[in-house]
Amino acid sequence: RTQLEILLKPQLLHALKRMDTRLGPLQQCVGMYGSLGKMEVMREEYVRMRPGEIHSLWFSFNGGLGGNGKGNDGEDKNSDDATNDGLYEGDDSKQELDEDEVEDFDFDEPLDNSPKTPSTTTTPTQQQTTAKQFMEFLPTFYDAVLELLSKERTQSKLVFGPALSPSIVARVLMECFKPIVDSFEKRLGNLCPLGGGGISMGGTEAIAAAYESTIQFLSLAYDQMEPWNMHSESNDSNDSNKLTDPDPTSHDQEMPLQAIIHSTFLLIASPFLPYQRNLAETERHPMMEAASMVAKDVRGVVHLEDAAERLGDLAPFMFPLVEAAMKRFELLNSGYNAPATLSSIDILISNHASELAIAMGTLSTNASSTNNRSGTSSAGGSGGEFDEQHVNCALEILRIAGQFKRNIQSLECSVKDRLRILSNEIMMADSVLEGDGDNALIPEELAPVQIRALLAKAACDPPGNTHVDDGTGIKCPTTVVELQRLAGRPPNNNKSNNDSPPLFPKALDATSRLAKSCLSFVFEVCSAIPERQLHGISALPVWKNEGTSMDDDETSYGILPQSFITHVGEHMLALVQALEPFASDVEALGLAEEVMENVLEVAVQPWKEFVAAAGCSFATMSTKATAGEEKMQLEMLMRGKDLGKYFLDEDAHEDDVMEEDDGMGEHEEEEEEDAKASAAFCNQWLDVVGLAVTGRLLERTMRIPRLGRKGAEHLATDLNYIRNVFTALGVAGHPHALLGYVAQLVTLEDGVLREKIQRRRRMEGVTEEGVMEGALLEVVQRAELRIAYVRSISV
């Protein structure tokens, strides 16, 4: 038989060369090789001959910059003699050697055969042009392969018969790509080099576009093959891959059809394997480059006047890039290696949010410097004029922070939805083209989604990865269980799962810091004038004034509030008009509300300093008090609810108790929802600024070194004035109870104040107070002692 095979070889090669015009000789060869039991030899020679034109087309591409149908090594890839002289002989080592010798057009190489010199380089523009031309060439190449498969589908039936036809078509498809895989990988490397050097966003996009084109091609190529159910009904023992007397030593001949297709798909997609396995790392460099460029622009925002416009363009810049990266992840990894990609995106957005937060700090510093230059630093001066435009610009930045938070929340939800879809796709494609015999699943068609999941599994799923219980008794691939955990798969009772971990924890934390920075910035703009006016009032000489009979005659018409407190009051009243234009914009208001949750925290510092100036500290009042309890104690003091019960003054209970706005009047209920939201937003900021002003005024009062009789009257007048301003504003919770109580203490008769303090001392140990109540009582008592001290009243 071996001698007959040798004698038939020239006749076979001659028939293969003439098969485009005559199939009769080739059909005769099929009969003779079949009778010898050497059908696999006939099949291999036939398969290797078929893609000759496809290989010539591939190697003829040289970037569209001229050429003669040769590779850049000068070897003619169009010669059929190369095929017949043993280019594709069965010797594996020879085949591998020949494939290694195949040169390809290098986008970075010179375009001619002239000796290379250091000046012979390809410019970035030329490289981009060549990459674009390759992306245009690839679909054309795939169309040529599909045309060949379409012809082969008909021809293989005539030559080998319907039984062997599907196997022949699959093997021809594999042979189309065997010699060009290394070349394909090299061309992809020129589009997007691995290892970090020279990678650009265009490179990763080009890889994704090429892979998507490849997936579409594989789906169409599968459709070109013979419908498998037509021959599988009469093939219960894999007879479709056998003719008479098959050679039992041939392993390829016994390979199931689905295994051939599966291997072919993996071969064609193998050039993309490095990008699939290292996608997160490949994406990281260009994404970080883009983020670095944006960060430079963000750091250049230093002036409030144009900050809103510039940050409005820069803040959302990264989200389209992240969305594109997620689409490439879906395409190339189909859900595998999700933690690595999500971590890269998390770091990217977190860094961007941190840069925006730093920009807020820079704007705040510059705004403070401007305010200090425009106004006087001494109390009672005529500070700089209040600019409503500055408030509006600051609120616009708050809107930007709200939009950023909404973007990250939307991204989180959309990515979780995508992960759920990907987990389902992996489940559906889990056994496609796998299994043996009756267990084989060979669908009549393969959608691009199924092929994508199949290839991603081969590239990214660890070998031997087993199925695990997903918690419901169903065995699922490990990746599916991981995706379900990340996506927060709802439990069996169909209730939403709120316990799922956030996909971007660092980004969410950075967004919270950004929101806090923006709130602080708005607060500093709105409270700059009160802070400047109250800065040095503790050292005013008026506080030491004891008064004379002449002073009594001059002040018989009443003591007027001092200029510093009137400036504060006028500012609070003007702030209403400054807030209303922004609050009237429904869309902007909705975005700003996204980051208003912890706005009270920006007004905490003056109250901390007030407690310290009074001579106490929440941290030392109770050894058992935690940081959370200290925060609650400070918030209770700021809100002042039920604080009047510690004043030991029945009149103070009714006059100074804070009233919460729990209900709406009938006329308020008839207002439109938008008007209510606008009023609530304005009142929220008036409340915060008002609390800060109250805390700062109380702290400055505690730091007055000495208080004479006439000075005490001035102080009481100032405190009562600001109380009237807060009352006029109509903000719930204002004026604070301590304002009226301190105004009362500074003018109280010496004996009455002494008796009040002594009575409180006698009550110590008689009544038991909780930790919270005890802390508030301590602040009130210390304030009483401090006022008695500056009034020189011995207790």
Side-chain angles (χ1 to χ4, degrees):
R1 291 187 179 184
T2 303
Q3 292 178 349
L4 290 175
E5 181 184 346
I6 294 174
L7 293 175
L8 286 174
K9 183 71 174 290
Q11 184 177 349
L12 173 61
L13 295 177
H14 179 78
L16 289 174
K17 285 185 177 181
R18 303 293 184 268
M19 65 179 169
D20 289 340
T21 57
R22 295 179 61 192
L23 293 178
L26 196 59
Q27 290 171 330
Q28 293 176 357
C29 290
V30 170
M32 289 185 288
Y33 273 90
S35 62
L36 291 174
K38 296 291 185 178
M39 181 55 66
E40 76 282 359
V41 177
M42 166 73 188
R43 182 193 61 203
E44 290 175 3
E45 292 293 342
Y46 175 84
V47 168
R48 289 172 181 171
M49 179 66 73
R50 287 295 282 157
E53 294 182 359
I54 297 299
H55 298 156
S56 298
L57 174 62
W58 175 266
F59 290 109
S60 67
F61 172 76
N62 60 0
L65 300 178
N68 55 3
K70 300 180 180 181
N72 63 331
D73 59 348
E75 181 181 355
D76 190 349
K77 303 299 188 293
N78 288 322
S79 174
D80 290 339
D81 293 338
T83 302
N84 296 335
D85 290 342
L87 180 61
Y88 302 127
E89 287 295 329
D91 186 356
D92 292 339
S93 61
K94 173 65 177 175
Q95 180 178 342
E96 292 176 2
L97 177 62
D98 289 336
E99 290 178 5
D100 291 339
E101 291 176 352
V102 171
E103 295 288 344
D104 189 35
F105 182 81
D106 191 338
F107 297 150
D108 294 325
E109 293 290 335
L111 300 178
D112 54 19
N113 294 326
S114 60
K116 298 180 183 179
T117 62
S119 62
T120 307
T121 58
T122 302
T123 65
T125 303
Q126 291 175 328
Q127 185 170 350
Q128 292 174 4
T129 302
T130 306
K132 179 182 178 181
Q133 291 170 342
F134 175 70
M135 296 307 302
E136 294 173 349
F137 162 77
L138 190 60
T140 303
F141 173 76
Y142 284 151
D143 288 342
V145 177
L146 291 173
E147 184 178 356
L148 173 64
L149 294 181
S150 178
K151 295 178 180 179
E152 186 57 39
R153 179 177 182 178
T154 302
Q155 181 169 301
S156 60
K157 281 184 183 180
L158 297 175
V159 176
F160 294 94
L164 277 179
S165 176
S167 174
I168 296 297
V169 174
R171 292 173 187 273
V172 169
L173 175 61
M174 178 182 289
E175 192 62 31
C176 287
F177 286 87
K178 270 185 178 180
I180 70 172
V181 166
D182 291 340
S183 172
F184 199 169
E185 184 173 351
K186 183 178 180 181
R187 292 183 181 183
L188 292 181
N190 285 312
L191 290 178
C192 181
L194 290 169
I199 298 179
S200 64
M201 292 301 300
T204 54
E205 290 172 357
I207 293 297
Y211 188 72
E212 186 175 18
S213 180
T214 303
I215 295 296
Q216 294 288 345
F217 161 73
L218 292 177
S219 179
L220 295 174
Y222 189 90
D223 293 339
Q224 289 290 347
M225 299 179 189
E226 187 72 16
W228 312 121
N229 61 342
M230 291 182 61
H231 67 270
S232 61
E233 294 177 357
S234 59
N235 178 27
D236 294 334
S237 59
N238 204 27
D239 289 337
S240 64
N241 288 338
K242 303 179 183 179
L243 288 180
T244 60
D245 192 18
D247 184 357
T249 63
S250 176
H251 297 289
D252 281 345
Q253 196 167 8
E254 298 297 331
M255 181 181 292
L257 183 57
Q258 71 273 12
I260 299 175
I261 301 171
H262 188 254
S263 299
T264 302
F265 281 10
L266 295 184
L267 173 70
I268 296 173
S270 61
F272 297 93
L273 201 62
Y275 300 97
Q276 291 176 284
R277 291 177 174 172
N278 303 282
L279 180 61
E281 185 64 30
T282 304
E283 292 274 16
R284 184 175 293 114
H285 178 79
M287 296 286 278
M288 289 301 180
E289 285 289 330
S292 177
M293 295 174 60
V294 176
K296 291 180 181 179
D297 292 337
V298 170
R299 292 170 194 154
V301 180
V302 295
H303 301 295
L304 181 58
E305 290 76 11
D306 62 348
E309 181 180 358
R310 295 183 62 185
L311 291 178
D313 294 333
L314 294 171
F317 184 84
M318 299 307 300
F319 288 100
L321 300 183
V322 168
E323 289 284 348
M326 280 303 304
K327 290 181 179 179
R328 291 191 289 271
F329 165 74
E330 289 183 56
L331 180 65
L332 289 161
N333 280 15
S334 194
Y336 292 93
N337 296 338
T341 296
L342 296 178
S343 177
S344 296
I345 292 176
D346 190 19
I347 294 173
L348 183 75
I349 299 178
S350 173
N351 292 343
H352 184 50
S354 298
E355 290 289 346
L356 292 172
I358 293 173
M360 295 303 105
T362 303
L363 287 173
S364 179
T365 301
N366 292 342
S368 298
S369 301
T370 301
N371 288 330
N372 290 336
R373 289 194 302 267
S374 62
T376 58
S377 59
S378 60
S382 57
E385 295 182 359
F386 177 57
D387 192 344
E388 295 182 2
Q389 188 62 31
H390 285 179
V391 175
N392 188 66
C393 290
L395 291 174
E396 282 295 322
I397 292 176
L398 189 66
R399 178 190 62 80
I400 294 171
Q403 182 66 68
F404 191 93
K405 183 177 181 180
R406 186 173 291 182
N407 287 344
I408 188 67
Q409 291 173 340
S410 176
L411 177 67
E412 179 104 1
C413 293
S414 65
V415 170
K416 286 187 175 182
D417 290 340
R418 293 179 186 180
L419 296 182
R420 294 188 188 99
I421 294 173
L422 290 173
S423 67
N424 293 332
E425 292 176 357
I426 293 175
M427 283 292 293
M428 290 187 294
D430 186 39
S431 57
V432 171
L433 298 181
E434 295 184 359
D436 296 320
D438 295 337
N439 296 325
L441 177 58
I442 308 179
E444 294 186 7
E445 62 179 3
L446 278 180
V449 169
Q450 293 174 292
I451 297 175
R452 187 186 69 191
L454 183 149
L455 296 178
K457 177 183 179 181
C460 305
D461 203 22
N465 198 1
T466 59
H467 288 53
V468 296
D469 193 332
D470 68 347
T472 63
I474 301 176
K475 293 291 185 178
C476 299
T478 305
T479 299
V480 171
V481 177
E482 182 179 53
L483 292 178
Q484 291 174 347
R485 179 187 62 82
L486 292 172
R489 182 172 59 88
N492 295 332
N493 57 8
N494 294 326
K495 294 181 180 179
S496 61
N497 186 1
N498 295 324
D499 297 330
S500 61
L503 298 180
F504 311 111
K506 294 180 181 178
L508 291 175
D509 290 342
T511 302
S512 297
R513 293 193 297 271
L514 171 62
K516 185 176 181 180
S517 298
C518 291
L519 289 173
S520 298
F521 177 59
V522 176
F523 169 75
E524 289 175 8
V525 170
C526 292
S527 62
I529 289 180
E531 278 287 336
R532 186 168 64 247
Q533 293 295 331
L534 298 176
H535 178 69
I537 65 169
S538 299
L540 290 176
V542 68
W543 308 131
K544 300 179 182 179
N545 192 358
E546 291 290 348
T548 62
S549 57
M550 184 178 297
D551 293 331
D552 291 338
D553 293 338
E554 292 176 354
T555 59
S556 59
Y557 295 103
I559 298 177
L560 297 176
Q562 299 182 77
S563 61
F564 75 86
I565 201 67
T566 58
H567 277 102
V568 173
E570 291 169 358
H571 172 80
M572 293 301 302
L573 295 173
L575 191 58
V576 179
Q577 284 74 31
L579 293 169
E580 284 180 346
F582 178 85
S584 61
D585 187 334
V586 177
E587 181 181 358
L589 184 60
L591 292 173
E593 288 289 351
E594 294 280 352
V595 293
M596 289 289 290
E597 182 178 359
N598 299 315
V599 66
L600 186 65
E601 294 181 2
V602 300
V604 166
Q605 188 59 33
W607 287 88
K608 286 183 177 180
E609 296 179 16
F610 161 63
V611 172
C616 57
S617 172
F618 287 146
T620 59
M621 289 180 190
S622 174
T623 57
K624 298 181 180 179
T626 63
E629 290 175 340
E630 293 176 19
K631 182 179 179 181
M632 291 178 61
Q633 291 167 353
L634 194 59
E635 185 175 343
M636 288 180 62
L637 177 63
M638 293 173 65
R639 287 303 180 193
K641 188 175 182 180
D642 298 330
L643 196 61
K645 65 183 180 181
Y646 303 117
F647 295 163
L648 299 181
D649 188 346
E650 295 182 358
D651 294 336
H653 282 257
E654 298 181 359
D655 184 48
D656 293 321
V657 66
M658 296 184 68
E659 296 181 357
E660 297 293 338
D661 189 6
D662 294 330
M664 293 281 187
E666 291 183 1
H667 67 285
E668 292 176 330
E669 293 178 356
E670 296 175 357
E671 292 179 354
E672 295 182 358
E673 291 297 325
D674 293 345
K676 293 179 182 179
S678 176
F681 179 81
C682 293
N683 287 340
Q684 199 170 9
W685 275 110
L686 291 173
D687 174 44
V688 170
V689 177
L691 284 174
V693 168
T694 299
R696 182 61 66 202
L697 185 56
L698 292 173
E699 180 262 337
R700 295 286 90 188
T701 299
M702 293 295 104
R703 297 191 185 279
I704 294 176
R706 183 173 179 275
L707 193 61
R709 183 179 67 84
K710 188 60 64 176
E713 292 178 1
H714 276 287
L715 180 58
T717 299
D718 296 337
L719 293 174
N720 286 324
Y721 167 81
I722 202 64
R723 288 179 64 223
N724 292 334
V725 170
F726 285 133
T727 301
L729 288 174
V731 179
H734 292 269
H736 196 280
L738 279 175
L739 287 176
Y741 188 56
V742 172
Q744 180 187 16
L745 291 177
V746 297
T747 56
L748 208 60
E749 293 292 336
D750 293 3
V752 177
L753 179 56
R754 185 183 297 110
E755 173 61 24
K756 180 186 285 286
I757 296 174
Q758 292 175 349
R759 181 155 56 108
R760 192 181 298 281
R761 287 176 175 173
R762 290 193 297 269
M763 294 175 60
E764 291 181 3
V766 178
T767 60
E768 295 184 0
E769 302 285 351
V771 175
M772 300 294 182
E773 293 79 4
L776 298 181
L777 178 60
E778 178 73 10
V779 173
V780 173
Q781 184 175 356
R782 293 282 186 168
E784 293 171 347
L785 290 171
R786 176 63 185 174
I787 291 174
Y789 172 78
V790 299
R791 290 183 58 188
S792 302
I793 300 175
S794 61
V795 293

